[in-house]
Amino acid sequence: MKSASDVRLAEVDLVIPQGVTAIMGYSGAGKTSLLNLLVNYESPDKGTITRTQACSPPGSGLELFWVPHNLGLWPQYTVQGHLKLVYPDVESEQDAVEELLTAFGLSPVRDQYPGQISQGEASRLAVARALASKAGILVMDEPLIHVDQTHWPFYWKTICDFCQKNNTSLVFSTHQPDLVLREAEHVICLDQGQVIYSGEVNDLYYAPPSYQVATYLGPVNDLTPISDTFPEKEHNCDIKLIRAEQLALDKVEQSSWEVQSVAFSGSIEEVIVSHQEHQVTQSLYHRPVRSVLKKGDRISIRLLMLFLCLVFGSGCLSDNAPELVFSQIKQWPVPSEGIMIPAPRSVNVGPNDELYVLDNAGRVLVYDSNNELIRQWKMPESDVGKPEGVCFLKNGQIAVADTHYHRVVFFDQQGKVQKILGEYGLKPGQFIFPVSVVQDPAGNIYVCEFGENNRIQKFSDQGEFILQFGKVGNKPGEFQRPAGMVWHHGKIYVADADNNRIQVFSDEGTFLEILGTKTGGIPLYYPYDIAIDRNNEELYIVEYGLGRVTKTNLAGEVLGRFGKTGTEQGEFLTPWGLTVNSKDQVIVADTGNRLIVKLIP
């Protein structure tokens, strides 16, 4: 009889739906034991496991294929032989095998045996063999665990494209939150042999039932100990568990909150703060573009309530906008940089519809109207951060907001530096984090920035400072991370990202309106960039937080929306920039998916 310490899974009552399901848990939680039961490698002491739906069409392949933790490769067969042995259709075998060998980078070792290849190649082979089987269900125990994470997106895209094309279900185990968020629809969380959560990934991320379960998908703020410091009148949602992107920590001159320590990891910053009056210390997570807080700073803690209303269904972001329809979608990655495939961050078009792209390798890439790369160059420096905004000027130069070097760099069309505008500072003509550049017909240049400065500065075409407008805040005319801009008929339209709105100013700096206020408001979440169509009548806004493009008229009436957060065609993952060319084709820098996407009407 087994003792309690021998029990690896207990009281498991699960229904695993079709689709992609991730199984998460820390070491010893029971992930491998559950997968072993699903594939009948082990049998339960009591209870039953039932497959309630047909798993594959007759003759298409096996019902189920398993990738065990030890990969289960056959030492007597070559890499190519593994795929041929399991492929069910002899007539199309060779083409299919060649395609898989290429997709998983195994062509150079096709005639080698498992004992002769690396662990990474062996991991890829185990997954490629599972796909070659064309099984209705794939069960994988930490697939690609020995593969460098730089290449994960490409191999996982192959896996998911295969599953979607063949109506295949996938169950895989992992302890990587980013992987689950990117690839899975459903998730099962195990702890000490028990299921503590089973449901949709988005539900676990945005509406977790407890702090313990929430941590399975990454850092989370438990605001329970400090909830009394938030005035309840500011919101009608009783939210205690807040993700990093739902919280803003703003440096201010006066506050009861003081920073005790800061740890910045490049994407999430952990800030330990203390409250003078309540005598409480709290760890908080947020997502700054770059670490700017330090010990002793005073901060305000701001919940991004517009986002919370969206997630928890208060209705404040609901609208009935029609879906934008495009006849064709073209997408392509930027060129590799060594072993890395960088992500595009900013796009703009030149006079002949050349497409200028900035990526997070610190490069300026130029494509012709047929999407062919015709030239590229590197920023002068990019070790401490990458540029965000690119603008084609009337004199033929290309202006780039060199964000983390606190300046605007002007290039000729071959990439030679012509001049540099600005330096670090708060004074006129200085910048903290410049992110966008536009030019008016008279040649004047406008630069928006965030950081300690949230403002727009206006310069002559020679770089002479003229005026500035805006400051940190959430009142009309104030900004929380101004991002993309458009000049049109004497007006500047600014994507005020953290305030979830588009603000309109005269080009002399007078605040005019929040776009859409007169027409019922525009529901937006993190608008990062804005562009105008060729007829100067309609605006396109890309929403970083919702993975979509919103189209409005100049009065702010929503004309349509396209896309949602995701990794499939027609979906975007943290899109950063967009532009519109002379054919009214909308080009999006789909940063999270590492793709340039062209939407063709």
Side-chain angles (χ1 to χ4, degrees):
M1 182 174 179
K2 290 184 177 180
S3 67
S5 61
D6 294 327
V7 176
R8 287 173 285 161
L9 291 170
E11 300 178 6
V12 174
D13 185 6
L14 279 176
V15 174
I16 301 178
Q18 288 185 309
V20 180
T21 299
I23 298 176
M24 300 190 75
Y26 304 101
S27 297
K31 300 188 301 295
T32 295
S33 296
L34 179 57
L35 294 184
N36 288 347
L37 291 173
L38 294 180
V39 300
N40 291 330
Y41 183 70
E42 294 185 79
S43 299
D45 293 330
K46 59 181 179 180
T48 58
I49 298 173
T50 306
R51 297 183 192 136
T52 58
Q53 297 181 355
C55 299
S56 59
S60 67
L62 300 173
E63 183 179 7
L64 181 147
F65 203 95
W66 177 37
V67 178
H69 194 268
N70 65 2
L71 305 181
L73 300 178
W74 304 310
Q76 69 273 35
Y77 292 104
T78 64
V79 168
Q80 181 176 245
H82 276 74
L83 307 189
K84 288 186 173 182
L85 278 169
V86 301
Y87 195 77
D89 186 354
V90 175
E91 293 184 3
S92 60
E93 173 189 285
Q94 191 58 44
D95 289 343
V97 167
E98 287 296 332
E99 185 177 341
L100 285 169
L101 289 172
T102 301
F104 286 93
L106 295 170
S107 295
V109 296
R110 62 192 307 141
D111 295 323
Q112 296 184 24
Y113 294 86
Q116 299 173 310
I117 60 179
S118 69
Q119 280 192 316
E121 290 164 338
S123 290
R124 284 180 268 144
L125 173 57
V127 172
R129 179 181 59 176
L131 269 57
S133 74
K134 299 189 73 174
I137 299 175
L138 302 178
V139 178
M140 302 185 184
D141 196 350
E142 297 198 69
L144 304 175
I145 187 64
H146 299 298
V147 177
D148 63 278
Q149 294 187 19
T150 301
H151 290 87
W152 270 16
F154 308 101
Y155 300 139
W156 271 101
K157 187 176 188 305
T158 300
I159 295 171
C160 290
D161 286 350
F162 174 90
C163 290
Q164 186 174 30
K165 179 180 178 181
N166 295 280
N167 196 29
T168 299
S169 289
L170 170 64
V171 181
F172 69 97
S173 66
T174 184
H175 59 274
Q176 299 283 345
D178 290 349
L179 181 62
V180 176
L181 288 166
R182 181 184 174 92
E183 307 296 351
E185 305 162 77
H186 319 283
V187 61
I188 297 166
C189 299
L190 299 174
D191 182 45
Q192 298 183 6
Q194 294 188 322
V195 176
I196 60 173
Y197 180 86
S198 177
E200 300 288 328
V201 172
N202 280 345
D203 289 344
L204 175 55
Y205 190 78
Y206 292 121
S210 70
Y211 177 78
Q212 177 196 4
V213 180
T215 60
Y216 278 64
L217 291 184
V220 65
N221 296 294
D222 183 0
L223 300 185
T224 305
I226 62 172
S227 59
D228 291 343
T229 67
F230 293 95
E232 291 297 322
K233 63 182 180 181
E234 288 186 3
H235 56 86
N236 57 9
C237 302
D238 185 20
I239 307 301
K240 304 301 184 186
L241 300 176
I242 303 295
R243 294 291 176 182
E245 64 272 22
Q246 299 167 357
L247 192 72
L249 304 183
D250 303 318
K251 185 176 177 180
V252 295
E253 292 184 4
Q254 299 293 329
S255 173
S256 296
W257 288 106
E258 180 178 332
V259 174
Q260 299 300 314
S261 67
V262 178
F264 184 55
S265 65
S267 59
I268 290 180
E269 184 171 68
E270 181 182 8
V271 183
I272 298 178
V273 297
S274 61
H275 195 279
Q276 289 182 327
E277 298 172 11
H278 292 262
Q279 298 297 306
V280 62
T281 299
Q282 178 78 10
S283 290
L284 298 173
Y285 299 94
H286 71 139
R287 291 184 184 273
V289 174
R290 181 182 178 187
S291 179
V292 296
L293 298 176
K294 62 183 183 298
K295 179 177 173 60
D297 284 345
R298 301 289 175 171
I299 63 167
S300 66
I301 302 173
R302 184 165 52 92
L303 304 184
L304 301 176
M305 294 310 303
L306 191 62
F307 172 74
L308 298 178
C309 289
L310 170 71
V311 172
F312 296 101
S314 69
C316 59
L317 281 185
S318 61
D319 65 1
N320 297 312
E323 181 177 358
L324 296 177
V325 177
F326 296 95
S327 64
Q328 194 175 3
I329 301 175
K330 294 184 178 181
Q331 56 188 38
W332 66 95
V334 300
S336 62
E337 178 81 351
I339 64 171
M340 180 181 74
I341 300 296
R345 301 179 72 177
S346 182
V347 289
N348 212 337
V349 292
N352 299 311
D353 274 351
E354 311 101 316
L355 178 64
Y356 289 79
V357 179
L358 301 181
D359 68 13
N360 62 2
R363 301 180 298 184
V364 181
L365 310 168
V366 187
Y367 293 84
D368 64 18
S369 58
N370 296 315
N371 313 327
E372 296 292 330
L373 182 65
I374 52 178
R375 61 186 179 276
Q376 62 176 297
W377 64 84
K378 295 277 289 186
M379 294 296 296
E381 300 170 275
S382 61
D383 290 341
V384 302
K386 317 304 178 186
E388 288 192 36
V390 57
C391 177
F392 196 95
L393 304 179
K394 295 169 63 67
N395 63 4
Q397 293 181 357
I398 297 94
V400 175
D402 199 1
T403 308
H404 298 281
Y405 290 90
H406 325 292
R407 63 193 182 188
V408 178
V409 181
F410 298 82
F411 298 94
D412 66 17
Q413 294 190 37
Q414 301 306 313
K416 184 178 179 180
V417 175
Q418 301 299 294
K419 66 178 179 180
I420 291 177
L421 172 65
E423 60 184 2
Y424 181 83
L426 302 174
K427 297 178 181 178
Q430 298 178 328
F431 305 110
I432 301 298
F433 297 130
V435 290
S436 182
V437 183
V438 297
Q439 187 177 41
D440 66 23
N444 298 310
I445 294 170
Y446 304 79
V447 182
C448 79
E449 60 176 312
F450 72 98
E452 294 179 60
N453 286 343
N454 277 241
R455 63 180 178 178
I456 296 171
Q457 297 189 64
K458 179 179 179 179
F459 301 88
S460 72
D461 57 357
Q462 299 302 311
E464 299 164 331
F465 174 81
I466 298 175
L467 59 86
Q468 66 181 31
F469 52 94
K471 63 179 182 178
V472 178
N474 51 27
K475 297 177 182 178
E478 299 176 345
F479 299 113
Q480 296 282 356
R481 200 191 193 286
M485 298 185 294
V486 163
W487 183 96
H488 174 64
H489 281 184
K491 296 180 180 179
I492 299 284
Y493 296 77
V494 187
D496 186 7
D498 285 6
N499 283 329
N500 301 294
R501 63 192 182 184
I502 305 298
Q503 297 203 69
V504 187
F505 298 80
S506 75
D507 56 15
E508 295 302 317
T510 302
F511 170 77
L512 300 177
E513 64 175 323
I514 295 173
L515 189 65
T517 301
K518 300 174 184 177
T519 59
I522 306 175
L524 299 170
Y525 180 50
Y526 278 164
Y528 257 35
D529 205 359
I530 183 170
I532 196 165
D533 74 337
R534 61 176 174 173
N535 295 319
N536 294 322
E537 295 177 350
E538 294 168 340
L539 298 168
Y540 289 86
I541 304 160
V542 70
E543 297 178 62
Y544 178 94
L546 283 180
R548 68 183 181 184
V549 173
T550 293
K551 180 180 179 180
T552 78
N553 61 20
L554 295 177
E557 295 175 310
V558 177
L559 304 178
R561 301 191 191 274
F562 178 83
K564 62 180 181 179
T565 298
T567 59
E568 303 299 327
Q569 189 176 75
E571 300 174 345
F572 305 104
L573 196 61
T574 59
W576 205 294
L578 91 166
T579 189
V580 183
N581 65 18
S582 66
K583 299 176 182 178
D584 276 348
Q585 297 171 343
V586 181
I587 301 101
V588 178
D590 187 2
T591 304
N593 286 323
R594 292 183 168 86
L595 293 171
I596 302 168
V597 181
K598 179 180 283 188
L599 307 174
I600 302 174

